[in-house]
Amino acid sequence: TPVSIERVINTPASGKRKLIMKWHILGAGAMGNLFATRLLQAGQDVSLILRLPKPDDYYQLHCLEGKARRTYSLPIQPASATETISQLLITTKAYDTEMALASVAGRLTPNATILLLQNGMGQHDRIQQHYPSVNLWAGVTTAGAWRPNPAELICVAAGETQIGPLNTPATELPVGWAAQIPTPTYMHTIQTALWRKLAINCAINPLTALHGCHNGALIEIPELYQQMQQICTEIDTLTRALGMTLFATDLIDQAANVAQATAGNRSSMLEDVTHGRSTEIEFITGYVCQQADQLGIDLPCNKALLSQVRALSAT
Ligand code: KPL
């Protein structure tokens, strides 16, 4: 595997040797913090990379998962640190990927492994073009977590994480990832998983951001459900034209299931709009519209949403 082993230690209890690898994480939001704690729990060595230097080398993070509360000391370092990076997990917003990676590009070892675990599509291709020598992986996760404040992480769903290679001949997960709890699933065709997540995000995120509603409203309010149905029908047409079968049933059935399962959630796009951040619309609906344009397929409903969310983000 394209994994550099930083340290090998003896675990006295079992007598077995345990691999300790160094992971750097770019993107210190809820997902970055969640995966940092999981890697620490699995005994791996982790540093969260922050844009700006902080006076301390650690920060305390209180994690609440069900009734279990645990406090972690998360090692942090600025992008300008000099430690080399052989394994990098990127959990930034899709639109921040290139800039964030550029800030540490000089620290990457010649055959570094990079794992992109983000919403949206399009950023993967750009990274592949600009960093052809890195071993690039991508993942999708249904894990759910949010941060009421910078010192606290609430884990709402352990979820499932699927990871697969984008440009490497690997046939299994890098060792440090396989050791994680819950163990991610290796997916040889990660593109399909990325498209599935993308299609669900297209169905749910823009509508919830525009209407300022929880995910559940999309199945409770008939007009919203109807709009979601139109979005899904268009995407079904596109994916069929691309020769992909994303789900065994129509996208609307899957989107409705996710809206129901996450009824009380505010989508990440609604959260972005609420907090005055840029949205990932260009990497979600924007990506889908771009793919459709290339095939000469019209997606009027998705195009309208793209313009509306763009206008919303600009205000
Ligand atoms: O991934 C999500 C998001 O909000 O970005 C969904 C699946 C819509 C859950 O909220």
Side-chain angles (χ1 to χ4, degrees), residues 180-212:
Q180 234 202 98
I181 301 164
T183 304
T185 311
Y186 171 83
M187 283 272 291
H188 197 65
T189 50
I190 195 65
Q191 289 287 349
T192 311
L194 292 173
W195 264 96
R196 280 191 196 122
K197 182 86 196 306
L198 180 77
I200 297 288
N201 285 140
C202 283
I204 296 180
N205 295 24
L207 280 180
T208 52
L210 285 170
H211 296 279

Side-chain angles (χ1 to χ4, degrees), residues 57-273:
D57 295 336
Y58 292 86
Y59 69 79
Q60 297 280 311
L61 184 71
H62 306 289
C63 278
L64 191 65
E65 191 159 4
K67 288 197 174 123
R69 184 173 265 281
R70 222 174 139 165
T71 299
Y72 293 86
S73 288
L74 288 185
I76 51 175
Q77 55 178 240
S80 59
T82 52
E83 186 179 54
T84 56
I85 298 175
S86 56
Q87 297 187 100
L88 181 64
L89 168 63
I90 302 187
T91 54
T92 60
K93 291 282 178 189
Y95 51 77
D96 271 338
T97 315
E98 286 176 278
M99 215 169 50
L101 183 51
S103 73
V104 297
R107 298 171 54 187
L108 293 172
T109 56
N111 60 353
T113 298
I114 297 182
L115 169 61
L116 302 171
L117 191 63
Q118 306 162 299
N119 271 347
M121 283 182 80
Q123 71 274 34
H124 309 85
D125 296 340
R126 294 191 200 172
I127 298 301
Q128 217 164 321
Q129 273 163 18
H130 291 131
Y131 301 87
S133 68
V134 303
N135 297 294
L136 199 58
W137 292 69
V140 290
T141 187
T142 55
W146 61 286
R147 290 201 307 165
N149 61 65
E152 249 186 304
L153 183 74
I154 316 271
C155 307
V156 284
E160 282 175 27
T161 303
Q162 299 176 322
I163 294 172
L166 284 176
N167 71 342
T168 77
T171 52
E172 57 183 37
L173 288 180
V175 188
W177 276 93
Q180 234 202 98
I181 301 164
T183 304
T185 311
Y186 171 83
M187 283 272 291
H188 197 65
T189 50
I190 195 65
Q191 289 287 349
T192 311
L194 292 173
W195 264 96
R196 280 191 196 122
K197 182 86 196 306
L198 180 77
I200 297 288
N201 285 140
C202 283
I204 296 180
N205 295 24
L207 280 180
T208 52
L210 285 170
H211 296 279
C213 61
H214 287 98
N215 296 355
L218 303 184
I219 47 169
E220 285 152 15
I221 301 173
E223 300 89 81
L224 293 183
Y225 181 78
Q226 213 177 358
Q227 276 197 56
M228 182 163 74
Q229 212 163 14
Q230 285 168 352
I231 298 168
C232 291
T233 305
E234 289 184 1
I235 296 173
D236 279 338
T237 306
L238 172 66
T239 50
R240 237 176 276 128
L242 287 166
M244 286 189 293
T245 307
L246 295 188
F247 301 104
T249 63
D250 289 345
L251 174 58
I252 183 62
D253 299 331
Q254 303 295 327
N257 285 345
V258 175
Q260 180 148 37
T262 61
N265 284 17
R266 293 163 60 84
S267 76
S268 54
M269 198 170 284
L270 173 58
E271 281 293 281
D272 288 340
V273 168

